[in-house]
Amino acid sequence: MKNKLYFFLLVIMLSACGQQQGEESSDNSHLQQEGIIVGIKGHQILVVPNIEKEDISNNTTDELIEMAQKKDGAYYSLYPGKYEELEVGAHVIVYWNGNQNDSDPPQRVAEKIDIVSK
């Protein structure tokens, strides 16, 4: 009987730990995407992960959007005047809050952008 009680308590503890860990991982305040800026339009950049700078040369805007759709890229809105140094081909890490517009590629608001030097 004691063994069953210990087993039951162990199952409850493990499931409680799993739920707590799941809640922590659903915290969207630190979402990020690393990639290459493939387009800039007004106060919005299009970032595509898992590509190289060379992959974007000689592509039309439509081809770059299609690349973003296939590779989970996203548009990021920028606050005016905050990221004037960004340029197409820059390798960046964009931080966002988890909210996005339902489009393809999705549209998000950049909270912070780090330029990665390679």
Side-chain angles (χ1 to χ4, degrees):
M1 181 71 172
K2 274 188 175 181
N3 286 342
K4 288 183 179 180
L5 179 61
Y6 288 129
F7 177 76
F8 180 72
L9 290 174
L10 180 64
V11 168
I12 289 174
M13 287 175 38
L14 289 175
S15 65
C17 290
Q19 287 177 348
Q20 184 179 14
Q21 187 177 19
E23 289 169 8
E24 290 172 1
S25 65
S26 67
D27 177 14
N28 291 334
S29 63
H30 296 98
L31 292 176
Q32 65 185 42
Q33 182 175 50
E34 183 173 349
I36 302 292
I37 297 174
V38 301
I40 299 175
K41 184 176 180 182
H43 296 291
Q44 206 174 44
I45 59 173
L46 179 56
V47 177
V48 179
N50 302 318
I51 63 168
E52 298 297 323
K53 188 176 180 178
E54 297 78 29
D55 295 336
I56 64 172
S57 61
N58 300 322
N59 287 314
T60 65
T61 300
D62 288 339
E63 290 170 332
L64 294 171
I65 291 171
E66 185 177 331
M67 183 185 302
Q69 291 168 334
K70 289 180 181 177
K71 296 189 170 275
D72 296 323
Y75 285 105
Y76 291 93
S77 296
L78 309 173
Y79 295 106
K82 188 163 183 179
Y83 294 103
E84 298 296 329
E85 72 276 6
L86 295 177
E87 57 187 35
V88 171
H91 185 172
V92 295
I93 300 174
V94 183
Y95 300 87
W96 58 292
N97 67 4
N99 295 326
Q100 65 184 20
N101 290 341
D102 226 9
S103 60
D104 192 16
Q107 297 181 39
R108 306 167 177 161
V109 176
E111 294 186 344
K112 178 183 168 189
I113 300 176
D114 291 333
I115 298 173
V116 179
S117 58
K118 279 194 163 185

